[in-house]
Amino acid sequence: MGDGLSVLKRKRDLSPLATIGEWTSMGDSYASGVGAGDAISPELPCRRFTNSYPNQMDKDGRLGASSDHKFNPVMCSGSTFKNIHSGGPHSQADELGKGNPAVATLTIGGNNVGFRAILTACIYRFYAWRSGDCTEELAKSQAIIDSPEFADGLSKAIKDAVDKAQDPYFRLYVTGYAAFFNEDTEQCNKVNVALWWGSSSYWTKELRKGMNTILMNLNAKIEAVTNGIGTTKVTYVDVNHLFNTHRFCEAPIKEPDFRNEDVWFFHWYTDDRGLSIGAPWEGTDAGTCDPNSDDWGDAFHCQIAQAHADNSSLTLSEESLPSIASGSNGISPELARVFHPKTGGQSAYAQAIFEAGIQPDFTPGWCTMHVVQYQKPDPSKDNYRFDVTIFDGGDPPVNIGSAASVDAPAQVGKEIQSRLPHPLVVTAGRVDDDAVLFEYNGQRWGSNDQEHHSNFGAYDNGKREGDTGFQC
């Protein structure tokens, strides 16, 4: 498949989602879509790109027209749990409390377990002799995944997001990650893309399986923590299965293949930017840069610059030369995007989230409700009461919510629980002749409103009842 955008277009078997007034995307560089499409200004520090899965979702008709809802993209490259936690630096959870999103997505955890360090030690050897040992880095990552601190940090991130959301029907979709390699093929066993001449880190079956195992164990932990939160507001989303046949080392691909769009992860150079071969250590001050920066592009450029400063006789490996590109916009995204999903992979993330449940629990369209209003037994001290039954826009309509004997003080809105994505509020007047007032997702009308097909009768034996409708 050439353009990954068609992943969503090929799978339109899911129903349109009822109108979402506002939604938010949180997470790390896998959510910001580094390298996928064009950079959204300003590129740094968050490195958000036009074909990230949140941007693709926002333009997808299953969320309704983009003009009909507000999208809050707060995902940011380099993010870890602390950047989600309420009160943390650049807290993304706190951003939820500044609006009223009905839905949010979250991709987080890869930076916490050291994806960047694994790529340096196991794949690129950017830091020369300081790049570390691959087996040791994989073991460190596994120890982090198994630690109570990881589970606690992720749990707090999810709970803080849920707590900050103000919509009572808020839903959070927490994604996993995708394994990088086909670990069973033979043709990659002698592939080596280590940066420096004389360095080697071959893509053997053992290495590929070791890196994939870390990804799968990370996903299992994210799923367990998500499912353990104890609320139906949170759903784990598996993305890995959609990457089958689109990983590195798929047969019969001969790696490194920098131009194959069927591979949904980035190498450095993919012939999409018109870049020239250059010296990757240039433009970075080896004395002041941070080799452990949360931003992968910053960290990798610094490691390369410091390695070359330590030993200026270092030369580039011939195998890595095609993948070295000099950027023209400060620290370029080419290093930041390695082993991140391309547009096709980002489309797969979006598809997985839609398939996981950002779908209506009802048929949208023209919803109706039947209302019974009971008179006050003693008008001097008692309140009105309501029975309310809500039906969706299906044919035939389905009961999607009901409430009996709702105590309704005069002119005090009462929220009726239902499967609708927004609150439906019913308000009693002061006296019997006053109209009952209704509110749903910006619509306001009364029991005498003909535009909403309201049809209420007179009181009989202490009650009156009728029907009304609204867009849902």
Side-chain angles (χ1 to χ4, degrees), residues 438 445-456 466-469:
F438 307 98
W445 72 101
S447 56
N448 55 0
D449 190 328
Q450 295 306 303
E451 289 187 5
H452 284 261
H453 307 292
S454 298
N455 181 18
F456 280 70
D467 300 286
T468 190

Side-chain angles (χ1 to χ4, degrees), residues 234-285:
V234 182
T235 300
Y236 172 75
V237 179
D238 172 48
V239 302
N240 184 60
H241 65 289
L242 293 178
F243 279 73
N244 289 340
T245 74
H246 297 288
R247 311 180 200 275
F248 291 128
C249 298
E250 301 284 7
I253 297 171
K254 183 179 179 181
E255 298 286 5
D257 187 336
F258 305 115
R259 296 172 176 84
N260 193 325
E261 286 303 311
D262 278 340
V263 176
W264 283 354
F265 292 105
F266 278 112
H267 288 290
W268 291 354
Y269 176 68
T270 53
D271 199 29
D272 62 347
R273 296 182 183 276
L275 299 168
S276 59
I277 303 302
W281 52 84
E282 293 180 349
T284 300
D285 187 338

Side-chain angles (χ1 to χ4, degrees), residues 250-371:
E250 301 284 7
I253 297 171
K254 183 179 179 181
E255 298 286 5
D257 187 336
F258 305 115
R259 296 172 176 84
N260 193 325
E261 286 303 311
D262 278 340
V263 176
W264 283 354
F265 292 105
F266 278 112
H267 288 290
W268 291 354
Y269 176 68
T270 53
D271 199 29
D272 62 347
R273 296 182 183 276
L275 299 168
S276 59
I277 303 302
W281 52 84
E282 293 180 349
T284 300
D285 187 338
T288 60
C289 66
D290 181 4
N292 298 309
S293 170
D294 288 336
D295 181 90
W296 290 21
D298 290 7
F300 290 153
H301 270 274
C302 186
Q303 291 172 12
I304 293 168
Q306 290 187 351
H308 192 263
D310 288 345
N311 183 1
S312 60
S313 66
L314 285 174
T315 57
L316 300 179
S317 165
E318 291 183 2
E319 293 177 274
S320 68
L321 275 175
S323 65
I324 301 301
S326 61
S328 60
N329 52 348
I331 295 179
S332 66
E334 277 58 57
L335 287 177
R337 72 183 183 174
V338 294
F339 278 65
H340 281 71
K342 298 178 184 177
T343 292
Q346 292 288 337
S347 296
Y349 267 77
Q351 182 64 35
I353 294 169
F354 279 121
E355 290 181 347
I358 299 195
Q359 296 298 312
D361 293 326
F362 67 98
T363 301
W366 184 256
C367 287
T368 58
M369 59 180 152
H370 184 76
V371 180

Side-chain angles (χ1 to χ4, degrees), residues 8-211:
L8 294 181
K9 296 175 184 176
R10 288 188 291 107
K11 297 186 177 182
R12 291 291 183 169
D13 54 330
L14 302 176
S15 303
L17 182 65
T19 301
I20 286 180
E22 184 176 343
W23 78 287
T24 298
S25 180
M26 303 180 291
D28 56 25
S29 53
Y30 278 64
S32 68
V34 58
D38 298 320
I40 298 173
S41 182
E43 181 190 328
L44 291 174
C46 288
R47 298 191 189 274
R48 297 177 189 137
F49 280 70
T50 54
N51 289 345
S52 67
Y53 79 76
N55 281 334
Q56 292 193 44
M57 287 178 62
D58 193 56
K59 294 177 176 64
D60 189 275
R62 283 170 283 184
L63 284 183
S66 297
S67 59
D68 291 339
H69 59 251
K70 180 182 179 182
F71 172 40
N72 306 313
V74 300
M75 62 283 191
C76 196
S77 176
S79 292
T80 59
F81 296 153
K82 67 182 180 182
N83 303 117
I84 309 298
H85 293 165
S86 180
H90 310 291
S91 168
Q92 296 177 29
D94 286 346
E95 292 297 316
L96 290 173
K98 297 178 182 179
N100 191 32
V103 167
T105 58
L106 173 62
T107 301
I108 200 71
N111 291 318
N112 290 87
V113 303
F115 276 8
R116 176 182 51 74
I118 289 174
L119 292 181
T120 294
C122 299
I123 301 296
Y124 293 116
R125 309 295 298 172
F126 291 131
Y127 219 5
W129 62 272
R130 288 189 282 187
S131 292
D133 179 81
C134 179
T135 301
E136 291 179 2
E137 289 300 331
L138 292 175
K140 288 178 185 178
S141 292
Q142 187 61 56
I144 293 171
I145 293 169
D146 294 337
S147 70
E149 291 79 12
F150 181 90
D152 291 346
L154 177 58
S155 179
K156 176 174 170 55
I158 295 171
K159 289 178 179 177
D160 283 359
V162 172
D163 289 345
K164 285 294 181 179
Q166 301 179 60
D167 191 314
Y169 303 103
F170 173 76
R171 291 168 288 172
L172 175 65
Y173 295 86
V174 182
T175 79
Y177 295 85
F180 299 127
F181 298 103
N182 181 329
E183 62 192 54
D184 299 320
T185 53
E186 299 288 344
Q187 77 271 20
C188 274
N189 288 332
K190 294 185 179 180
V191 170
N192 173 36
V193 295
L195 178 68
W196 304 109
W197 185 87
S199 296
S200 61
S201 184
Y202 293 104
W203 291 12
T204 63
K205 284 186 176 181
E206 181 182 7
L207 181 143
R208 285 178 271 155
K209 183 175 182 179
M211 290 182 63

